[in-house]
Every structure is written in structure tokens, then in C-alpha cells.
Amino acid sequence: MPQQVCRSLLARPCGWARRALFVLCLVVVGLLQPAAAQSGVVIPGDEAAPDPTRIALDDMRVDIRIDQQFARVRIVQIYANRTNQPLEGKYIFRLPTSGAIADFAVWDGDVRIPGVMLELPRAQEIYGELKRRAIDPGLVTQEDEAGGATAFTVRLVPIPAFGTKRVELEYVEAVPVAGLRSFFSLPFKPSQYGAQSVGSLTIRVDLTSGFPLVAFKQRDTAYPLQVTPMGVNRVTAEYQGAGVALTQDLAFDYGLDVSRTSASLIAYRSPEPLLAYDLRDPNRTKPDADGYFEVSALLNERGLPASDFERTPAPARSVALMLDTSLSMSFEKLDRAYEACSMFLRSLRPDDRFNVVLFNDDAQAFAEAPQAGTPDNTARALEFIRRGYLSGGTDFAKALQRGLALAKALPGEERALVLITDGNPTLTTTRGGKLARDFAEANAKGGPPVRVFAFGVGADANRDFLNELARVSRGVSEFGRETDDLTFRLDAFFAKVGQRPVEGLKLSVNDADNIYAVYPNEEATGYDGARVSFVGRYRRPTAQAAFTISGARAGQPVTVTATGALPENDATRGHLPRLWAQERIGFLLRRMALDGEDDALIAEVIALSKKYNIVTPYTAFLAAPRALLRPRVIKPGDPVLRVRADASIRSVVAVFPFGLTKPLTYLAAEDVWETRFLAPKTMQDGRYRCRLILADEQGNVFQEEKGFTIDSRPPQLQVTATPTAARAGESVEVLVAADADTRRIAVRLAGGPPALVKWDAQRKTNVGVLRLPPGLPAGRYVLLVTAEDFAHNVSSREVPLDVASGP
């Protein structure tokens, strides 16, 4: 039995005044940081909280650009040292739940120091080394199952006496549409340290849409925007204030005015360097000239104006509501979860049918038979929830089995399973992909399938698992942080429950040979009043292209066409390449989750991640002075030294500690300086430094040092396989303990394809799963585990495995 700490939900009603201490995992190397002020805060190095008498936020400028529901938010903050001594401070910024960091930089005087995207093992190695040297870099990573960290922290060193430090941060997020309305918020409101003030605050909003904009409405009262309509498709707004207390989130919503289902086309084409992952010809310098496009449809099959969507009664609903009551749902997560359950249950009508399930390591139902949505029944259901207890871990396999059985017992063809959870399985089956596949298999049996509506609560919500669970059931997923005002999101989320969606949505084009790599690459599902979009690439410009989005709602066809040019040169929609790359990465990750990891696919994910600053399970965003990111591990005889430098640099010369001087050559396709040299085989293992002499276009000469480590020792491995005997077609789990500088581990059955072994932060070891071929003959085999470190030293271990014939 897992350890249980029982806490009555009745003792924790929604809306407590007391704030709970909440921590989130910042990096996969084990560092935990408190979730601080959401809009960015600097804490003096020797204190546990901000102190504006020492370090104050003097100036803050926020630029919000929303183009076709793609938001790019750029924040510039200037912090002032109010003392006569140099200070260091820790900068903490918490990203919105759906946000992804796109850029970060700190200014050291007149020098801008940007963050960089690195392969995950390399980023972790550098991060650990810098921490040991008492340097605190910023690191943003994504864990395989946890879906990504949402806090960012970096140490600012030094902030001069009576001087300032400038910080720049940019993040992106998709702005959803529901009921022909969109809602956007910028997290200013603090979650731990109390409200902070800013000497001067400037906010600029630039909103553009392919559909007419109506009823722009600001939801907060702290930062009154001056709104200026710029025609029917654009709105700008601005706020300027002095001595502003950041007590509320900036929030606004707006309507999209279409009288029927409509479509829009935008495109981007600007010749760019060849993608680094194209390894067929490393010396090829021809630019990648293909363009990008997005086709979106705003669904309005009922022909309602935006103002009528909220007032139109929903059809009778059949719903099983499931609330996660495991110990991970404590404190403010529980507040938000109870708020969601209460809002939904109170919205039920007598002709609705429902049931409720509380789940942790067990699953308890409110009733064995469906209940009518009467006030008495919903009140009893709320009392059932209040009487529940937080207890144990989360057995999603048992919970989904129980919830699906109750949902299948509901009347009607449009049945829903509503999940309120953080989505983190801890018992029985913990792999989200397997849980989703098993649910899809069970859901396909016993009548019409049930749709999953998953609402993820908390900054640590398992987005990958909940998204996949919704995808395989053609449902919906949405997410909210503990400290967010969830009213709009919950309204839009619950409004979809019971609605007949538009299904089987796909994109076709009149010139199919010109279009490729379109995502989503499978049929999509959309709801009336919502937006669906497809992004892809085109080979040739054309003056007129016609794209058609088609699907069906309640058996009736839905078709809409967008026409327009695919331009030869138009860089206006600069967000499209990143948007496409994000969709491409998502496709590649899903493919590897189903078919196993592949070197070529991983290389493509890493290359796209580095190019567009997209955090993936294979990369991390590291913010530190570039000179600190350059140390390289080599083994004697390795001939390559690579250096990245600012765009103004025109020559780089390296002076090595063993007397060699070598000029470096600039490789434009990879934006890197490189030279080949010979590290003497007599050099002992250890850290060395070489001097770099850099000259810019003005003739100015700079000197920097680059560190490298000579390493001739191959990784040391300890391997365990479970089970040691298996049947053909079964999976074998391989655990590998390896040196900290190991960058890649793989396991294979002699002659078979490899399976990658990756670090598991929860289990504190490297874990891989190898599936045995179904037709493998019985006998004794050898599992070969190979490992490579950053110096390209390779070692291997063999583990015996007895294989019995399949069932």
C-alpha cells in the first residue's frame, strides 16, 4: 500500500484566503525553485524574497502581437540597484501554462548576452559545471511525460552600485477561440511574494485577424488600455503608467464576427539557410526557398453571432465527471479543481444525465446508475465530492476503466468523460502513451465511443498524456495554472461538452504537388464557434491557390474554401516558420512514441529545436554568457574545434596551449566557425584552455578563452535487464547506470534495430524499453548496450536474455 495522507475535501472549500506554498520542477537535473511572481521578479542574492529598497523594477515594456491567434509577447525589464554596493540577484519568470519561451537575453553594459538552445545532455553537463562554479544559468527543459517546465530562472551578476540590469524575455502561445470569442491574459499577478511595483510601465497590443474583430473588452481594471480600431481586422491598444502596482493579470477578450463558417489563408516565404538536419550534403549552400502557409476555418454552422453563443441552450448532455483526489492535487490545485466541478455540476439541467467518480489509488462512483441533473442530485454530488479524501497515488488504468464503464452506461450517442486532474499517473501503468492506447481500445467496444474532455490543473499538468487521451477519443484538452482566473477557460471548455462537433476535418488543395508536410496530418475535430487550422509548406509561388477544409457535422457535410496567393517573397507573417516547426516536432515525437526512436528523426527534432528555440525532450534552453557555453570535451586526436560568435565577427584565430595557432573558417550554413587540429596523444586527461582572437568588421580585436576537456576514458556502465527471461513479442526494460558525461545510450538485440535508453528523473537512472520481435525463435540471446560520451569515447556491455517462443 502506498503511504496515505488523508485530507477531507470538506475541510478545503474553494476560495481559501490562505496561500499554499507551491513548488515546481525547474530542471531535470534535480533543482527545485519556488514559483515566484509571474511577471518576473529579482531577488537579491542573500535574501529569500524581493526587496525593492535594494533592487527595484524601474521600467517594464510589454509588446503583445497577436496575428491569426498566434501570440508573441516580448517583455523588457530594467532593474535598478538602489545601494552603493554591487549586487547579484536571481531573476524568476513564470511562463503562462500554454506559453513556450522563444528568446531570452541579459545585457552586460552594452553587450547583449542571449540564451541558446542545446542538446539536452550537453545543456545538463554545462548547467552542472556552471552551478559547481557558483554561476546560476537559466535552464528550461521538457520532461518526456511531464510536458515541460513553466518557470525560468537566471542569476544576474553583477548589478553595479546605483546601476541597472536589463532583461529581455519573449514567449509565444496559441490563443484559442471558443464561442466565436478569444481570451488572452498576461500573468502580472504575483503568486508568492506579494505585489511588486514598477516605476514605469508601457503595454502595447497589436491584434490582427483574418476575420472581422468585434467587441474588444478589457477584463482587468489595473492597466486601462486606450483602444484604437484600425479597420475591421485590426485593433491596437496602449497603456502607460508610473508607479504601477502589479496586482492583477492583464486580460482582455474579443469576438470574431462571421455569419457562417469561413476560412482564411496566410503565407510566408523568405529564402533562408538550409536546415541543419539535412545531412545528405553537408557542404550544400543553396538556400531553403520553400514557403510556409496556414489555412484556418472559423466554424459557425448554426449561423449565430458571437453574442448569442453563450445564450443558446446546449443539447441534453450525458456526462461522467471524474475528479483526481490523489495527494498531488493538494492546496491551490484542489481549489481550482473544486471550482471546476462546482461550475459544471451547477450548469446541469434536469434533462441532462450524469455521474461522478473520485479517483486516486482507487475509484469511487457517486452512483451506480446515471442521475438526472436536478438541483437536488447536483447538490448531493457536490456533497459527495466534499466528503472525499485526498489519498495515495494515481492509478489511471483503474480510474479510466471505471469512468469509461459509467460513461458507456449513459444514454444517447454523444457521451462525455470529463477529467479534472493534473494527469500524472504514479501507480500500475505510468506510461501515458500506453494508457491512451489501452483506453482507445476499450472505448472502441460496446457502442458509440465516449469523448474525453480533459482539463489539466496545475503548472505541472501532464500535457502530453492529457492531449493524447483527448486526441484518441476525438475530444478536447485544456489547461490552467493554480493561480489563474479560470472562468473564461472553464466556460469555453464546458460549453463543448455534449455538442456535436465537426469531425473528419481535412485539407485539400487544387495544386496538390506544390504542397507538402501539412499538419495536422490526420483528420481533425472542431466545435461550432471554434477555430481549426492546418499549416504546411509550398514549393512554388503561385498567384492563386485554393484550399478547401471539409468535414461533417451530425452526418451533414461541412465545406469551406480559402483562396489567395502563395507569394514569392513576403516576410510579413514571420511566425509561420516557427508554427510549422512546432507542429512538425509534435508529429515526429508522436511517431517515435508509437514506432520507437530513430536517429534521423531525433536529429531533425534537435535541428528544428535549435533553429526556432523550441524546447523538446531532446533539447534545453540555457541562458548564460556565451563564453561559458563553449567548453568542449575532446579526446586526443579529435580534429575539430567549433565556435559560435556574434554576426559582426569577421575572423577568429585559436591559440592552443600546446603551441599551435590555427585560423577558423566560417560555415555559413551552420552559422559556426570551425578549424581542424590535432590534440597530441601525450596530453593527459584534464581541463585546458585555448585563447581566441576575434576581429569584427570595424577592425576591433577581442580576446576570449575557450575551455575544453581532454577525455580518453570511455563511459563506465552498469546494466540490469528486467525480466531476464521473456517471450517473443514482449518488452524488456533495461536500466543503465552511466557516467555523468554520457550523451547517448542504446540497447539492441544482436542484429536488430536499437532502442534509445534515456534518463528518467523520477527513477534517477537511464531507462530503455526494447520490444522483442514477435517471431523471434526461442533460445539464449545477448542484449548489447552501447554508450558514447561527449568526447565520442564508446563502451559497451552485454547482458544475456533467455527468450521463449511466443504464446
Side-chain angles (χ1 to χ4, degrees):
M1 288 286 292
Q3 183 183 9
Q4 294 189 351
V5 179
C6 296
R7 181 178 293 117
S8 172
L9 302 189
L10 182 62
R12 293 292 307 247
C14 182
W16 283 323
R18 184 172 70 84
R19 307 294 271 180
L21 176 63
F22 170 65
V23 295
L24 69 91
C25 180
L26 177 68
V27 296
V28 298
V29 291
L31 176 67
L32 291 176
Q33 293 289 352
Q38 293 180 314
S39 59
V41 66
V42 171
I43 302 173
D46 56 351
E47 297 191 22
D51 182 356
T53 65
R54 302 180 68 193
I55 300 178
L57 179 54
D58 258 12
D59 185 76
M60 183 172 183
R61 282 162 278 167
V62 180
D63 283 298
I64 303 165
R65 296 183 180 273
I66 304 176
D67 186 0
Q68 295 286 90
Q69 304 305 120
F70 183 89
R72 185 179 291 274
V73 181
R74 184 168 184 81
I75 299 172
V76 177
Q77 294 171 304
I78 298 177
Y79 290 89
N81 181 353
R82 301 292 195 215
T83 74
N84 60 359
Q85 299 291 326
L87 294 176
E88 69 174 46
K90 178 170 286 188
Y91 175 81
I92 305 175
F93 187 97
R94 193 200 273 190
L95 297 168
T97 309
S98 57
I101 192 164
D103 191 22
F104 180 83
V106 175
W107 287 73
D108 186 7
D110 295 331
V111 178
R112 186 178 187 270
I113 303 172
V116 295
M117 191 67 66
L118 299 170
E119 291 185 45
L120 184 58
R122 181 64 174 154
Q124 291 173 330
E125 183 200 32
I126 295 173
Y127 181 87
E129 176 61 25
L130 297 183
K131 291 292 288 184
R132 285 190 291 273
R133 292 162 58 187
I135 299 169
D136 193 4
L139 181 63
V140 175
T141 65
Q142 175 180 318
E143 295 190 27
D144 292 342
E145 292 289 334
T150 57
F152 185 75
T153 178
V154 64
R155 181 162 294 175
L156 308 179
V157 183
I159 307 175
F162 297 114
T164 61
K165 181 67 73 173
R166 172 171 167 161
V167 178
E168 299 176 3
L169 184 141
E170 184 176 293
Y171 70 86
V172 297
E173 64 175 323
V175 183
V177 180
L180 295 184
R181 293 198 67 79
S182 277
F183 175 82
F184 175 85
S185 67
L186 177 65
F188 278 144
K189 184 173 62 178
S191 62
Q192 182 176 352
Y193 297 114
Q196 68 171 331
S197 296
V198 55
S200 174
L201 175 63
T202 301
I203 302 172
R204 293 187 178 90
V205 179
D206 192 335
L207 169 61
T208 306
S209 174
F211 307 103
L213 297 167
V214 294
F216 182 97
K217 183 177 180 180
Q218 187 171 0
R219 294 290 182 174
D220 69 276
T221 59
Y223 327 102
L225 295 167
Q226 299 297 315
V227 181
T228 306
M230 307 287 288
V232 296
N233 297 98
R234 186 182 177 199
V235 170
T236 62
E238 186 169 348
Y239 166 80
Q240 289 186 323
V244 181
L246 304 178
T247 57
Q248 300 179 34
D249 291 345
L250 173 71
F252 57 82
D253 62 80
Y254 53 92
L256 300 169
D257 187 22
V258 294
S259 59
R260 57 184 176 81
T261 297
S262 304
S264 172
L265 166 67
I266 58 174
Y268 169 96
R269 186 173 183 269
S270 181
E272 56 188 15
L274 191 68
L275 293 179
Y277 61 77
D278 191 343
L279 303 178
R280 291 166 294 181
D281 183 0
N283 298 315
R284 183 179 170 197
T285 57
K286 180 182 177 181
D288 177 12
D290 290 354
Y292 303 81
F293 69 87
E294 180 188 34
V295 181
S296 60
L298 197 55
L299 303 175
N300 189 0
E301 287 301 289
R302 291 176 288 173
L304 297 173
S307 57
D308 286 353
F309 261 82
E310 295 179 0
R311 295 195 292 265
T312 303
R317 293 175 288 185
S318 294
V319 184
L321 175 65
M322 300 185 64
L323 173 62
D324 185 347
T325 57
S326 64
L327 288 174
S328 66
M329 292 291 290
S330 59
F331 303 117
E332 288 177 319
K333 274 192 197 177
L334 183 58
D335 287 346
R336 302 287 80 78
Y338 182 86
E339 175 188 346
C341 291
S342 177
M343 178 183 292
F344 181 69
L345 289 172
R346 294 182 193 280
S347 74
L348 294 177
R349 302 188 308 266
D351 56 345
D352 295 328
R353 295 296 180 265
F354 79 99
N355 211 329
V356 177
V357 177
L358 304 181
F359 68 96
N360 39 59
D361 51 8
D362 199 5
Q364 296 180 323
F366 166 60
E368 289 304 317
Q371 303 292 299
T374 63
D376 285 346
N377 284 340
T378 56
R380 289 194 304 111
L382 281 170
E383 183 63 20
F384 169 72
I385 292 173
R386 290 191 191 100
R387 287 175 175 271
Y389 286 86
L390 292 185
S391 173
T394 314
D395 189 339
F396 260 101
K398 181 184 292 184
L400 290 172
Q401 183 181 29
R402 180 69 165 142
L404 182 60
L406 292 175
K408 290 277 188 178
L410 293 164
E413 293 189 359
E414 195 62 39
R415 298 168 294 182
L417 191 64
V418 176
L419 272 171
I420 311 296
T421 176
D422 60 10
N424 290 309
T426 59
L427 300 174
T428 313
T429 303
T430 59
R431 295 171 58 195
K434 178 172 175 24
L435 286 166
R437 288 193 298 273
D438 290 348
F439 178 85
E441 267 185 40
N443 195 17
K445 304 171 184 174
V450 172
R451 297 186 197 277
V452 173
F453 292 77
F455 195 93
V457 182
D460 63 341
N462 190 333
R463 300 175 67 89
D464 286 349
F465 169 46
L466 297 180
N467 283 335
E468 184 65 9
L469 201 56
R471 188 188 70 82
V472 298
S473 65
R474 296 186 179 275
V476 174
S477 57
E478 181 60 89
F479 301 88
R481 192 196 303 279
E482 301 92 324
T483 55
D484 290 348
D485 180 354
L486 299 179
T487 305
F488 181 90
R489 288 185 188 175
L490 288 173
D491 279 342
F493 177 75
F494 289 137
K496 297 182 178 73
V497 177
Q499 295 280 359
R500 279 291 183 94
V502 181
E503 298 186 280
L505 287 165
K506 57 187 177 182
L507 182 71
S508 58
V509 61
N510 61 340
D511 185 9
D513 292 340
N514 192 29
I515 303 303
Y516 68 100
V518 177
Y519 302 103
N521 67 325
E522 56 189 15
E523 293 182 350
T525 300
Y527 285 79
D528 219 25
R531 176 179 180 267
V532 294
S533 69
F534 295 84
V535 292
R537 304 202 64 181
Y538 64 91
R539 297 182 175 89
R540 301 178 303 277
T542 181
Q544 190 75 357
F547 293 85
T548 299
I549 296 177
S550 59
R553 182 174 186 263
Q556 298 299 312
V558 175
T559 303
V560 63
T561 299
T563 59
L566 297 177
E568 182 175 359
N569 198 335
D570 185 348
T572 307
R573 311 288 186 174
H575 68 278
L576 284 182
R578 191 185 202 278
L579 183 62
W580 175 84
Q582 207 160 349
E583 291 294 327
R584 172 71 178 168
I585 287 173
F587 162 75
L588 294 173
L589 294 178
R590 287 192 298 272
R591 178 174 164 185
M592 287 190 284
L594 292 173
D595 302 334
E597 291 180 307
D598 177 272
D599 287 349
L601 300 184
I602 292 173
E604 184 175 351
V605 168
I606 291 172
L608 288 170
S609 170
K610 289 181 177 180
K611 183 173 183 180
Y612 296 105
N613 278 354
I614 299 172
V615 178
T616 73
Y618 303 98
T619 53
F621 190 82
L622 187 63
R626 190 172 293 275
L628 299 176
L629 304 180
R630 292 175 178 163
R632 170 165 159 76
V633 182
I634 63 175
K635 59 183 178 181
D638 185 30
V640 180
L641 174 70
R642 311 187 100 199
V643 174
R644 290 191 184 275
D646 295 332
S648 62
I649 297 300
R650 291 295 176 264
S651 70
V652 181
V653 175
V655 180
F656 293 92
F658 45 86
L660 179 66
T661 299
K662 290 276 291 185
L664 279 70
T665 301
Y666 181 63
L667 306 180
E670 299 181 59
D671 187 27
V672 69
W673 294 83
E674 179 181 287
T675 189
R676 306 189 73 84
F677 72 100
L678 186 65
K681 295 186 180 296
T682 56
M683 291 185 74
Q684 299 295 314
D685 286 4
R687 291 185 59 82
Y688 298 87
R689 306 197 70 80
C690 69
R691 192 157 49 97
L692 298 176
I693 303 173
L694 304 93
D696 67 11
E697 54 195 1
Q698 305 297 326
N700 300 310
V701 177
F702 309 92
Q703 292 194 37
E704 292 187 15
E705 285 193 336
K706 178 180 177 67
F708 62 92
T709 299
I710 295 293
D711 180 9
S712 60
R713 178 178 176 271
Q716 302 299 299
L717 305 176
Q718 294 181 353
V719 181
T720 304
T722 307
T724 55
R727 292 184 177 276
E730 293 181 344
S731 295
V732 178
E733 184 178 67
V734 179
L735 307 180
V736 182
D739 293 345
D741 64 342
T742 304
R743 64 175 299 181
R744 178 179 170 82
I745 307 173
V747 58
R748 71 174 71 211
L749 197 64
L756 285 186
V757 180
K758 298 187 297 183
W759 175 254
D760 186 314
Q762 291 184 339
R763 300 173 69 175
K764 306 298 182 187
T765 191
N766 300 287
V767 181
V769 177
L770 182 68
R771 184 173 177 81
L772 303 179
L776 188 67
R780 170 157 283 203
Y781 291 82
V782 172
L783 293 178
L784 178 65
V785 177
T786 58
E788 180 186 19
D789 63 18
F790 287 106
H792 305 294
N793 298 302
V794 176
S795 62
S796 63
R797 289 290 182 275
E798 293 183 351
V799 179
L801 177 69
D802 291 319
V803 177
S805 58

